[in-house]
């Protein structure tokens, strides 16, 4: 499922060279941001840990007659144990943001944490955060294997000439992101190789135990890797305006129609597309419907500010004085 290291280097040579891009003073990096969305005259701010917890909630409710529950895609010794590991990994997939979210960089424009478009040009800082997050649960190799896949495939879409479309982030469902070019590709390529080395260690640990050896077989690992991406995308569709809308400009907060591709149903060889359609205020119909409860009530925690507003004079005092609000959504089946 992961591209062998030798092929990563070969993939670099396959990328077309755009000399204008090479000479540009700007360069791509992993954005340092809180999820900030302007919607209905308000600024909605969702932390990455809260977004991750919402994704974990969706994973915990994934599965019904049409869709297998996590951990039940292929035979294993204890499917419910594997399911718990997958749900945990999905809930923690962005835990490398913990320290930044506790003491975030602030926007010069509004005095709140940096958001979309306010990015750091320090790629190394992003890699270091990932490395920190992948050390938190040293005794959980399956959790680390799945979380590291989140980073691997995010960068693969930019680095590899032909990244596997089955693992393309839902954020790129309408088209692949711009490729990186020589001069910007080397650092993420090296980071991907580092991830592969870690993944080899975690895979070996899991294979050495008869109770977990089957977890890393493609029939189990591939759909769980994809499920992490899908729950991440569904959560982001509620927490932000990052998910591209079918038509027009994305407004976020569950108000956009979009598609999820390569969704595993009963097994990895059985995949399809889920269409998400807003059918009412904070009411989103999914077709086909993947959850065990219909409708599924979903709570998003956000700090909400009415615009326009003054910059906080002292951010931490303001932040901790303003409690998160519970914003209620529902996913429903298409009738």
């Amino acid at each position: 499922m992961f591209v062998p290291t030798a092929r990563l280097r070969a993939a670099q040579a396959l990328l077309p060279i755009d000399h204008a891009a090479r000479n540009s003073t700007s360069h791509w990096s992993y954005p340092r941001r809180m999820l900030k969305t302007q919607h209905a005259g308000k600024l909605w701010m969702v932390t990455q840990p809260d977004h991750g917890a919402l994704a974990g909630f969706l994973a915990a409710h994934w599965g019904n007659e049409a869709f297998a529950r996590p951990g039940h895609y292929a035979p294993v010794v204890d499917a419910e144990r594997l399911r718990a590991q997958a749900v945990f990994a999905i809930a923690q997939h962005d835990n490398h943001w913990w320290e930044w979210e506790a003491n975030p960089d602030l926007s010069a424009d509004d005095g709140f944490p940096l958001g979309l478009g306010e990015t750091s040009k320090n790629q190394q800082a992003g890699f270091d955060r990932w490395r920190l997050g992948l050390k938190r649960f040293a005794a959980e190799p399956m959790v680390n294997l799945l979380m590291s896949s989140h980073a691997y495939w995010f960068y693969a879409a930019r680095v590899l000439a032909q990244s596997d479309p089955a693992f393309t982030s839902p954020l790129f469902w309408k088209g692949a992101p711009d490729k990186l070019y020589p001069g910007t590709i080397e650092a993420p390529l090296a980071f991907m190789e580092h991830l592969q080395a870690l993944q080899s260690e975690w895979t070996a640990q899991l294979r050495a135990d008869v109770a977990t050896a089957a977890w890393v077989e493609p029939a189990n690992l591939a759909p769980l890797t994809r499920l992490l991406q899908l729950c991440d995308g569904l959560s982001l569709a509620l927490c932000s305006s990052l998910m591209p809308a079918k038509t027009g400009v994305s407004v976020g907060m569950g108000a956009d129609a979009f598609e999820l591709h390569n969704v595993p149903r009963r097994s990895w060889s059985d995949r399809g597309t889920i269409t998400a359609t807003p059918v009412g205020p904070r009411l989103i119909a999914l077709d086909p419907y993947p959850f065990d409860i219909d409708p599924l009530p979903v709570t998003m925690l956000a700090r909400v500010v009415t615009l326009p507003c003054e910059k906080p004079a002292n951010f931490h005092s303001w932040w901790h004085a303003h409690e998160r609000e519970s914003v209620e959504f529902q996913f429903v089946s298409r009738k």
Side-chain angles (χ1 to χ4, degrees):
M1 182 172 59
F2 298 106
V3 179
T5 300
R7 287 179 57 197
L8 283 179
R9 289 294 175 186
Q12 178 181 1
L14 295 175
L15 290 174
I17 297 177
D18 183 322
H19 294 284
R22 291 188 66 176
N23 295 329
S24 172
T25 56
S26 65
H27 62 276
W28 175 85
S29 64
Y30 194 87
R32 300 181 69 178
R33 64 174 184 267
M34 182 170 289
L35 298 172
K36 291 170 66 178
T37 306
Q38 291 190 25
H39 182 80
K42 296 181 179 180
L43 176 64
W44 307 72
M45 293 177 284
V46 180
T47 67
Q48 295 284 355
D50 285 337
H51 145 65
L54 198 159
F57 173 83
L58 298 178
H61 283 284
W62 190 279
N64 52 33
E65 291 184 0
F67 290 85
R69 301 173 83 183
H72 292 256
Y73 293 107
V76 295
V77 172
D78 186 346
E80 282 301 297
R81 180 185 170 197
L82 177 54
R83 175 174 177 250
Q85 291 278 291
V87 170
F88 181 33
I90 293 170
Q92 294 296 325
H93 74 272
D94 275 337
N95 75 17
H96 57 287
W97 287 102
W98 284 1
E99 288 78 7
W100 187 90
E101 294 280 7
N103 190 28
D105 297 329
L106 303 180
S107 168
D109 293 331
D110 61 22
F112 294 111
L114 291 178
L116 181 63
E118 302 164 305
T119 59
S120 168
K121 294 184 178 180
N122 185 352
Q123 290 193 82
Q124 190 59 48
F127 303 147
D128 290 344
R129 283 193 298 276
W130 279 109
R131 291 187 177 96
L132 179 62
L134 292 172
K135 292 179 180 178
R136 297 195 196 281
F137 309 118
E140 304 291 350
M142 188 63 183
V143 172
N144 289 325
L145 190 58
L146 290 173
M147 290 195 304
S148 67
S149 73
H150 181 53
Y152 181 93
W153 289 110
F154 180 88
Y155 288 107
R158 294 291 186 102
V159 169
L160 302 183
Q162 295 181 332
S163 180
D164 190 338
F167 300 105
T168 297
S169 167
L171 296 183
F172 306 141
W173 77 272
K174 291 186 73 175
D178 294 337
K179 297 293 184 182
L180 298 183
Y181 296 93
T184 61
I185 193 176
E186 287 79 6
L189 194 65
F191 179 61
M192 290 170 66
E193 291 177 354
H194 171 70
L195 289 177
Q196 285 190 315
L198 294 174
Q199 289 162 354
S200 294
E201 295 176 8
W202 296 322
T203 299
Q205 292 179 46
L206 292 163
R207 286 194 187 281
D209 186 342
V210 66
T212 59
W215 292 8
V216 295
E217 294 301 321
N220 287 305
L221 184 57
L224 293 177
T225 297
R226 185 57 178 164
L227 184 62
L228 188 157
Q229 295 177 313
L230 296 169
C231 291
D232 177 48
L234 280 171
S235 176
L236 288 172
L238 305 185
C239 298
S240 74
S241 58
L242 295 176
M243 180 67 75
K246 269 191 173 182
T247 59
V249 178
S250 299
V251 296
M253 310 302 293
D256 300 304
F258 60 92
E259 295 178 359
L260 296 173
H261 296 165
N262 284 294
V263 181
R265 289 178 290 227
R266 303 304 303 176
S267 68
W268 184 236
S269 61
D270 174 24
R271 302 197 298 275
T273 296
I274 290 178
T275 299
T277 307
V279 292
R282 298 178 188 163
L283 185 66
I284 304 100
L286 300 179
D287 184 23
Y289 188 76
F291 298 118
D292 58 359
I293 299 174
D294 185 11
L296 179 68
V298 180
T299 300
M300 179 188 78
L301 297 177
R303 285 177 171 85
V304 184
V305 179
T306 300
L307 298 175
C309 65
E310 295 184 1
K311 288 185 181 181
N314 296 282
F315 169 74
H316 283 291
S317 297
W318 184 96
W319 187 256
H320 292 286
H322 289 74
E323 293 186 0
R324 295 170 298 174
E325 297 183 22
S326 295
V327 185
E328 304 298 332
F329 297 86
Q330 283 190 331
F331 284 118
V332 298
S333 60
R334 194 65 184 261
K335 305 301 183 184

